[in-house]
Amino acid sequence: MSTPKLSVQLNCPLPKLDFDVITLGHGSGGVLTHRLLDTGVFSMLKNDLLNEQHDGAVVTFDGPVAFTTDSYVVTPIFFPGGNIGELAVNGSINDLAMCGAIPKYLSLSFILEEGLRMDEFWEVLLGIKKTSEEAGVPIVTGDTKVVERGKGDKVFINTTGLGRIHPKASIHANRVKDGDVILISGTVANHGVAILSVRQGLEFETTITSDTRPLHQPVLKLLDELGNAVKFLRDPTRGGVATVLNELAAQSGTGIEIFQRDIPISEQVEGACEMLGLDPLYVANEGIFITAVSPEKADNALNILQSFDSAAAILGRVVAEHPKQVILHSRIGGRRIVSMLPGEQLPRIC
Amino acid sequence: MSTPKLSVQLNCPLPKLDFDVITLGHGSGGVLTHRLLDTGVFSMLKNDLLNEQHDGAVVTFDGPVAFTTDSYVVTPIFFPGGNIGELAVNGSINDLAMCGAIPKYLSLSFILEEGLRMDEFWEVLLGIKKTSEEAGVPIVTGDTKVVERGKGDKVFINTTGLGRIHPKASIHANRVKDGDVILISGTVANHGVAILSVRQGLEFETTITSDTRPLHQPVLKLLDELGNAVKFLRDPTRGGVATVLNELAAQSGTGIEIFQRDIPISEQVEGACEMLGLDPLYVANEGIFITAVSPEKADNALNILQSFDSAAAILGRVVAEHPKQVILHSRIGGRRIVSMLPGEQLPRIC
């Protein structure tokens, strides 16, 4: 992996930390930890809550609160279209959105490997800052640990999110029933293929980039306009579209039918999947979601989703037949069962 | 490390998972992940919120909420007096307590190393179950990732906590002033010495055990009885007592004086520290905290703390002299500056 280029405009100069790499002392809780935080992390991510520098932040809510957690272990940590920091912020924002919540606050916890280059750490932190600021969801509390060389893999990140449940949201798989329409918000398999293209031993030339992005805007627009006609929201990350549809079928007890010709996929990604022998339905995504809505609101939902991403499409429908099974109608008229991802397809994808 | 003994009574039988070890597939998000969760994790940690199995949990609060996060990377994962799972639950409960909050909910996120023995994972999970149930603080949402062998170290855990701020709490270092009294809730350095005693290359015979335990009961009692006379609360984990006192001095702008003869320490721990050349003020703790209270309430505070742990003591006082410095009065009458932990003393202690 070559040196990452600083692709983000710094609001503050790269701090002088007397070290070119992360050392075990940066995780000791003592002077080095304080220096790393005070001269670097806090000034970069600054906001009133974080500045308290207590063991935790104090936040307020009125009404119910969504609470989600995710650890990010993607390898490599820099990939076409993003880095692990951006992924971690977008990922927890999206988990909140999938609960029907308005994302409000994030926590941020690092597990760094001794010897991580300081400029790589800084590039990850810049990705976090930029993504968090653009989405308007501040980091309000955090933690940093360091493990010995060979006991980690550069950077692992946990982000945990808090959001206010949208007043019109009623997102429960068991509300989904026969006749409901399933939509997808953009093209599939971009993230997984982008990661694979830079995996050691597999590098291939492509302009495919990860679709990592926050999804709360289209979700909140759906909830604003369609209210409880929106019954299910989930982003098909690990396990891909096939796994999410199987989760929906299992949790709602319904059958699901999808049509291969309606699955939005870019030509390049489809070509790469063919070359690698991957079924795009099992490849991880980051910046898309699947929703199930009442049939009478399907067109409105499609219009809203297409106003954010023209590739959004109706993917299929919920049926009374074959409960708990997902059936794919192929382009040539055949039918097959789509099962959940059986083993490991692409480990460490997020 | 020998096989850990199952030290906890199982409420459910050890599930049959068809695998003796964790594989990459258990982190794929597909069938193996679902089987690990459905047949094991969910049934062990079950509660209504977790059972929703969504991307997040929905919780409600009235009033301000404390939000804390911590990742746990302690090595070895089993140590005298506990394991990484118990540490992770107690740690986040204690971070909440140190904010003056009543702990309510935890999230739980695993980063597992491929090849981790399933019975070791189960033992950690049992520690989590037991600690969470005893403290009355449920795990309501979670995540599981798996990294390749050699890219992690058995188990890393992130716990993130939510608590309701105690109505009488007003915990801010900048409220601490000249004359306030500093107390400590139990003996120092137990955790660090217990971990060291089982570190590879250093094993020594001892009956010293980690003091990992939840601290919310004594903290809430202090707040119930003394209200805003309690100005500062912090648990001296990484960096030890010396680092916390320096943080207090720096954040309050006051001086601090402590007396060596008043530092509670067990004979065994003191002996081990001498043998290892460690200053107990810099050794990590888990089950104790430091508080600063108004002088007129110091005796009440001591009584309350001693009702939970007879080793609790008045450690020192806040003074107008030498602002931002911590001075130790030694047993033989000398004075020295106690600085913050300068580098790494004991990495991977929590």
Side-chain angles (χ1 to χ4, degrees), chain A residues 45-68:
Chain A
L45 301 178
K46 64 184 167 219
N47 60 67
D48 291 346
L49 288 162
L50 188 64
N51 295 350
E52 277 267 325
Q53 297 182 28
H54 202 296
D55 279 333
V58 179
V59 297
T60 47
F61 282 96
D62 67 80
V65 178
F67 180 35
T68 76

PDB file of all heavy atoms in Angstrom, chain A residues 45-68:
ATOM      1  N   LEU A  45     -11.690  17.150  15.730  1.00  0.00           N
ATOM      2  CA  LEU A  45     -13.109  16.787  15.778  1.00  0.00           C
ATOM      3  C   LEU A  45     -13.922  17.725  16.668  1.00  0.00           C
ATOM      4  O   LEU A  45     -15.053  17.440  17.010  1.00  0.00           O
ATOM      5  CB  LEU A  45     -13.257  15.355  16.302  1.00  0.00           C
ATOM      6  CG  LEU A  45     -12.561  14.254  15.493  1.00  0.00           C
ATOM      7  CD1 LEU A  45     -12.749  12.908  16.159  1.00  0.00           C
ATOM      8  CD2 LEU A  45     -13.069  14.212  14.060  1.00  0.00           C
ATOM      9  N   LYS A  46     -13.347  18.873  17.013  1.00  0.00           N
ATOM     10  CA  LYS A  46     -13.891  19.670  18.119  1.00  0.00           C
ATOM     11  C   LYS A  46     -15.391  19.996  18.014  1.00  0.00           C
ATOM     12  O   LYS A  46     -15.919  20.284  16.960  1.00  0.00           O
ATOM     13  CB  LYS A  46     -13.091  20.963  18.293  1.00  0.00           C
ATOM     14  CG  LYS A  46     -13.177  21.908  17.115  1.00  0.00           C
ATOM     15  CD  LYS A  46     -12.267  23.112  17.350  1.00  0.00           C
ATOM     16  CE  LYS A  46     -12.114  23.879  16.051  1.00  0.00           C
ATOM     17  NZ  LYS A  46     -10.785  24.386  15.829  1.00  0.00           N
ATOM     18  N   ASN A  47     -16.056  19.920  19.137  1.00  0.00           N
ATOM     19  CA  ASN A  47     -17.427  20.376  19.326  1.00  0.00           C
ATOM     20  C   ASN A  47     -17.631  20.482  20.834  1.00  0.00           C
ATOM     21  O   ASN A  47     -16.830  19.957  21.609  1.00  0.00           O
ATOM     22  CB  ASN A  47     -18.447  19.425  18.666  1.00  0.00           C
ATOM     23  CG  ASN A  47     -18.385  18.016  19.209  1.00  0.00           C
ATOM     24  OD1 ASN A  47     -18.705  17.777  20.369  1.00  0.00           O
ATOM     25  ND2 ASN A  47     -17.945  17.060  18.380  1.00  0.00           N
ATOM     26  N   ASP A  48     -18.671  21.167  21.249  1.00  0.00           N
ATOM     27  CA  ASP A  48     -18.823  21.489  22.671  1.00  0.00           C
ATOM     28  C   ASP A  48     -18.865  20.247  23.553  1.00  0.00           C
ATOM     29  O   ASP A  48     -18.312  20.219  24.640  1.00  0.00           O
ATOM     30  CB  ASP A  48     -20.092  22.310  22.911  1.00  0.00           C
ATOM     31  CG  ASP A  48     -19.957  23.700  22.311  1.00  0.00           C
ATOM     32  OD1 ASP A  48     -18.819  24.075  21.972  1.00  0.00           O
ATOM     33  OD2 ASP A  48     -20.984  24.377  22.170  1.00  0.00           O
ATOM     34  N   LEU A  49     -19.535  19.201  23.091  1.00  0.00           N
ATOM     35  CA  LEU A  49     -19.679  18.006  23.918  1.00  0.00           C
ATOM     36  C   LEU A  49     -18.354  17.272  24.051  1.00  0.00           C
ATOM     37  O   LEU A  49     -17.961  16.863  25.136  1.00  0.00           O
ATOM     38  CB  LEU A  49     -20.740  17.082  23.317  1.00  0.00           C
ATOM     39  CG  LEU A  49     -22.165  17.602  23.483  1.00  0.00           C
ATOM     40  CD1 LEU A  49     -23.106  16.897  22.524  1.00  0.00           C
ATOM     41  CD2 LEU A  49     -22.630  17.407  24.918  1.00  0.00           C
ATOM     42  N   LEU A  50     -17.644  17.112  22.929  1.00  0.00           N
ATOM     43  CA  LEU A  50     -16.366  16.407  22.970  1.00  0.00           C
ATOM     44  C   LEU A  50     -15.368  17.161  23.827  1.00  0.00           C
ATOM     45  O   LEU A  50     -14.550  16.573  24.528  1.00  0.00           O
ATOM     46  CB  LEU A  50     -15.826  16.247  21.543  1.00  0.00           C
ATOM     47  CG  LEU A  50     -14.584  15.372  21.392  1.00  0.00           C
ATOM     48  CD1 LEU A  50     -14.880  13.932  21.792  1.00  0.00           C
ATOM     49  CD2 LEU A  50     -14.062  15.425  19.965  1.00  0.00           C
ATOM     50  N   ASN A  51     -15.451  18.508  23.791  1.00  0.00           N
ATOM     51  CA  ASN A  51     -14.465  19.314  24.496  1.00  0.00           C
ATOM     52  C   ASN A  51     -14.490  19.133  26.011  1.00  0.00           C
ATOM     53  O   ASN A  51     -13.554  19.498  26.690  1.00  0.00           O
ATOM     54  CB  ASN A  51     -14.648  20.796  24.142  1.00  0.00           C
ATOM     55  CG  ASN A  51     -14.352  21.048  22.662  1.00  0.00           C
ATOM     56  OD1 ASN A  51     -13.843  20.158  21.973  1.00  0.00           O
ATOM     57  ND2 ASN A  51     -14.674  22.228  22.186  1.00  0.00           N
ATOM     58  N   GLU A  52     -15.576  18.566  26.553  1.00  0.00           N
ATOM     59  CA  GLU A  52     -15.651  18.329  28.001  1.00  0.00           C
ATOM     60  C   GLU A  52     -14.580  17.333  28.458  1.00  0.00           C
ATOM     61  O   GLU A  52     -14.169  17.340  29.604  1.00  0.00           O
ATOM     62  CB  GLU A  52     -17.037  17.804  28.389  1.00  0.00           C
ATOM     63  CG  GLU A  52     -18.073  18.894  28.574  1.00  0.00           C
ATOM     64  CD  GLU A  52     -18.178  19.360  30.035  1.00  0.00           C
ATOM     65  OE1 GLU A  52     -18.025  18.527  30.954  1.00  0.00           O
ATOM     66  OE2 GLU A  52     -18.415  20.563  30.244  1.00  0.00           O
ATOM     67  N   GLN A  53     -14.141  16.455  27.562  1.00  0.00           N
ATOM     68  CA  GLN A  53     -13.074  15.482  27.855  1.00  0.00           C
ATOM     69  C   GLN A  53     -13.313  14.688  29.128  1.00  0.00           C
ATOM     70  O   GLN A  53     -12.405  14.428  29.906  1.00  0.00           O
ATOM     71  CB  GLN A  53     -11.705  16.169  27.925  1.00  0.00           C
ATOM     72  CG  GLN A  53     -11.302  16.788  26.602  1.00  0.00           C
ATOM     73  CD  GLN A  53      -9.921  17.413  26.662  1.00  0.00           C
ATOM     74  OE1 GLN A  53      -9.076  16.985  27.435  1.00  0.00           O
ATOM     75  NE2 GLN A  53      -9.694  18.403  25.839  1.00  0.00           N
ATOM     76  N   HIS A  54     -14.542  14.323  29.349  1.00  0.00           N
ATOM     77  CA  HIS A  54     -14.868  13.486  30.492  1.00  0.00           C
ATOM     78  C   HIS A  54     -14.878  12.039  30.007  1.00  0.00           C
ATOM     79  O   HIS A  54     -14.560  11.761  28.863  1.00  0.00           O
ATOM     80  CB  HIS A  54     -16.232  13.919  31.046  1.00  0.00           C
ATOM     81  CG  HIS A  54     -16.441  13.530  32.472  1.00  0.00           C
ATOM     82  ND1 HIS A  54     -16.486  12.226  32.870  1.00  0.00           N
ATOM     83  CD2 HIS A  54     -16.600  14.277  33.590  1.00  0.00           C
ATOM     84  CE1 HIS A  54     -16.667  12.183  34.184  1.00  0.00           C
ATOM     85  NE2 HIS A  54     -16.740  13.419  34.649  1.00  0.00           N
ATOM     86  N   ASP A  55     -15.263  11.114  30.904  1.00  0.00           N
ATOM     87  CA  ASP A  55     -15.373   9.724  30.495  1.00  0.00           C
ATOM     88  C   ASP A  55     -16.523   9.512  29.521  1.00  0.00           C
ATOM     89  O   ASP A  55     -16.622   8.486  28.879  1.00  0.00           O
ATOM     90  CB  ASP A  55     -15.594   8.824  31.721  1.00  0.00           C
ATOM     91  CG  ASP A  55     -14.279   8.525  32.431  1.00  0.00           C
ATOM     92  OD1 ASP A  55     -13.227   8.535  31.776  1.00  0.00           O
ATOM     93  OD2 ASP A  55     -14.311   8.291  33.639  1.00  0.00           O
ATOM     94  N   GLY A  56     -17.414  10.482  29.424  1.00  0.00           N
ATOM     95  CA  GLY A  56     -18.544  10.338  28.520  1.00  0.00           C
ATOM     96  C   GLY A  56     -19.131  11.696  28.205  1.00  0.00           C
ATOM     97  O   GLY A  56     -18.744  12.708  28.797  1.00  0.00           O
ATOM     98  N   ALA A  57     -20.060  11.722  27.267  1.00  0.00           N
ATOM     99  CA  ALA A  57     -20.739  12.957  26.896  1.00  0.00           C
ATOM    100  C   ALA A  57     -22.140  12.927  27.485  1.00  0.00           C
ATOM    101  O   ALA A  57     -22.697  11.860  27.732  1.00  0.00           O
ATOM    102  CB  ALA A  57     -20.816  13.070  25.385  1.00  0.00           C
ATOM    103  N   VAL A  58     -22.712  14.107  27.702  1.00  0.00           N
ATOM    104  CA  VAL A  58     -24.091  14.178  28.174  1.00  0.00           C
ATOM    105  C   VAL A  58     -24.939  14.788  27.062  1.00  0.00           C
ATOM    106  O   VAL A  58     -24.639  15.875  26.573  1.00  0.00           O
ATOM    107  CB  VAL A  58     -24.207  15.001  29.468  1.00  0.00           C
ATOM    108  CG1 VAL A  58     -25.665  15.076  29.909  1.00  0.00           C
ATOM    109  CG2 VAL A  58     -23.360  14.357  30.567  1.00  0.00           C
ATOM    110  N   VAL A  59     -25.951  14.055  26.638  1.00  0.00           N
ATOM    111  CA  VAL A  59     -26.795  14.492  25.529  1.00  0.00           C
ATOM    112  C   VAL A  59     -28.250  14.461  25.987  1.00  0.00           C
ATOM    113  O   VAL A  59     -28.564  13.852  27.007  1.00  0.00           O
ATOM    114  CB  VAL A  59     -26.595  13.574  24.301  1.00  0.00           C
ATOM    115  CG1 VAL A  59     -25.166  13.660  23.797  1.00  0.00           C
ATOM    116  CG2 VAL A  59     -26.937  12.116  24.621  1.00  0.00           C
ATOM    117  N   THR A  60     -29.110  15.149  25.258  1.00  0.00           N
ATOM    118  CA  THR A  60     -30.527  15.131  25.643  1.00  0.00           C
ATOM    119  C   THR A  60     -31.393  14.754  24.447  1.00  0.00           C
ATOM    120  O   THR A  60     -31.029  14.998  23.303  1.00  0.00           O
ATOM    121  CB  THR A  60     -31.002  16.504  26.170  1.00  0.00           C
ATOM    122  OG1 THR A  60     -30.546  17.495  25.255  1.00  0.00           O
ATOM    123  CG2 THR A  60     -30.455  16.792  27.540  1.00  0.00           C
ATOM    124  N   PHE A  61     -32.524  14.163  24.742  1.00  0.00           N
ATOM    125  CA  PHE A  61     -33.449  13.698  23.720  1.00  0.00           C
ATOM    126  C   PHE A  61     -34.855  13.964  24.202  1.00  0.00           C
ATOM    127  O   PHE A  61     -35.110  13.923  25.402  1.00  0.00           O
ATOM    128  CB  PHE A  61     -33.307  12.180  23.532  1.00  0.00           C
ATOM    129  CG  PHE A  61     -32.121  11.809  22.713  1.00  0.00           C
ATOM    130  CD1 PHE A  61     -30.933  11.448  23.327  1.00  0.00           C
ATOM    131  CD2 PHE A  61     -32.175  11.827  21.331  1.00  0.00           C
ATOM    132  CE1 PHE A  61     -29.824  11.109  22.564  1.00  0.00           C
ATOM    133  CE2 PHE A  61     -31.081  11.500  20.569  1.00  0.00           C
ATOM    134  CZ  PHE A  61     -29.898  11.143  21.190  1.00  0.00           C
ATOM    135  N   ASP A  62     -35.773  14.238  23.262  1.00  0.00           N
ATOM    136  CA  ASP A  62     -37.147  14.032  23.675  1.00  0.00           C
ATOM    137  C   ASP A  62     -37.721  12.935  22.799  1.00  0.00           C
ATOM    138  O   ASP A  62     -37.531  12.909  21.593  1.00  0.00           O
ATOM    139  CB  ASP A  62     -37.963  15.327  23.641  1.00  0.00           C
ATOM    140  CG  ASP A  62     -38.168  15.868  22.258  1.00  0.00           C
ATOM    141  OD1 ASP A  62     -39.033  15.378  21.555  1.00  0.00           O
ATOM    142  OD2 ASP A  62     -37.411  16.804  21.888  1.00  0.00           O
ATOM    143  N   GLY A  63     -38.340  11.967  23.421  1.00  0.00           N
ATOM    144  CA  GLY A  63     -38.899  10.837  22.688  1.00  0.00           C
ATOM    145  C   GLY A  63     -37.914   9.684  22.581  1.00  0.00           C
ATOM    146  O   GLY A  63     -36.805   9.752  23.098  1.00  0.00           O
ATOM    147  N   PRO A  64     -38.344   8.610  21.913  1.00  0.00           N
ATOM    148  CA  PRO A  64     -37.527   7.396  21.848  1.00  0.00           C
ATOM    149  C   PRO A  64     -36.239   7.578  21.048  1.00  0.00           C
ATOM    150  O   PRO A  64     -36.170   8.391  20.133  1.00  0.00           O
ATOM    151  CB  PRO A  64     -38.457   6.381  21.176  1.00  0.00           C
ATOM    152  CG  PRO A  64     -39.560   7.159  20.562  1.00  0.00           C
ATOM    153  CD  PRO A  64     -39.664   8.452  21.295  1.00  0.00           C
ATOM    154  N   VAL A  65     -35.226   6.793  21.446  1.00  0.00           N
ATOM    155  CA  VAL A  65     -33.866   6.937  20.940  1.00  0.00           C
ATOM    156  C   VAL A  65     -33.420   5.616  20.313  1.00  0.00           C
ATOM    157  O   VAL A  65     -33.563   4.557  20.926  1.00  0.00           O
ATOM    158  CB  VAL A  65     -32.914   7.271  22.117  1.00  0.00           C
ATOM    159  CG1 VAL A  65     -31.478   7.372  21.646  1.00  0.00           C
ATOM    160  CG2 VAL A  65     -33.353   8.557  22.811  1.00  0.00           C
ATOM    161  N   ALA A  66     -32.861   5.674  19.101  1.00  0.00           N
ATOM    162  CA  ALA A  66     -32.251   4.485  18.490  1.00  0.00           C
ATOM    163  C   ALA A  66     -30.789   4.423  18.894  1.00  0.00           C
ATOM    164  O   ALA A  66     -30.113   5.454  18.964  1.00  0.00           O
ATOM    165  CB  ALA A  66     -32.374   4.537  16.975  1.00  0.00           C
ATOM    166  N   PHE A  67     -30.317   3.203  19.146  1.00  0.00           N
ATOM    167  CA  PHE A  67     -28.986   2.953  19.713  1.00  0.00           C
ATOM    168  C   PHE A  67     -28.382   1.811  18.898  1.00  0.00           C
ATOM    169  O   PHE A  67     -28.921   0.702  18.899  1.00  0.00           O
ATOM    170  CB  PHE A  67     -29.199   2.562  21.176  1.00  0.00           C
ATOM    171  CG  PHE A  67     -27.982   2.248  22.010  1.00  0.00           C
ATOM    172  CD1 PHE A  67     -26.778   2.911  21.830  1.00  0.00           C
ATOM    173  CD2 PHE A  67     -28.060   1.288  23.022  1.00  0.00           C
ATOM    174  CE1 PHE A  67     -25.685   2.620  22.633  1.00  0.00           C
ATOM    175  CE2 PHE A  67     -26.968   1.002  23.836  1.00  0.00           C
ATOM    176  CZ  PHE A  67     -25.782   1.672  23.633  1.00  0.00           C
ATOM    177  N   THR A  68     -27.315   2.098  18.158  1.00  0.00           N
ATOM    178  CA  THR A  68     -26.730   1.081  17.269  1.00  0.00           C
ATOM    179  C   THR A  68     -25.223   1.052  17.451  1.00  0.00           C
ATOM    180  O   THR A  68     -24.605   2.060  17.779  1.00  0.00           O
ATOM    181  CB  THR A  68     -26.987   1.408  15.789  1.00  0.00           C
ATOM    182  OG1 THR A  68     -26.103   2.459  15.381  1.00  0.00           O
ATOM    183  CG2 THR A  68     -28.423   1.842  15.541  1.00  0.00           C
TER     184      THR A  68
END
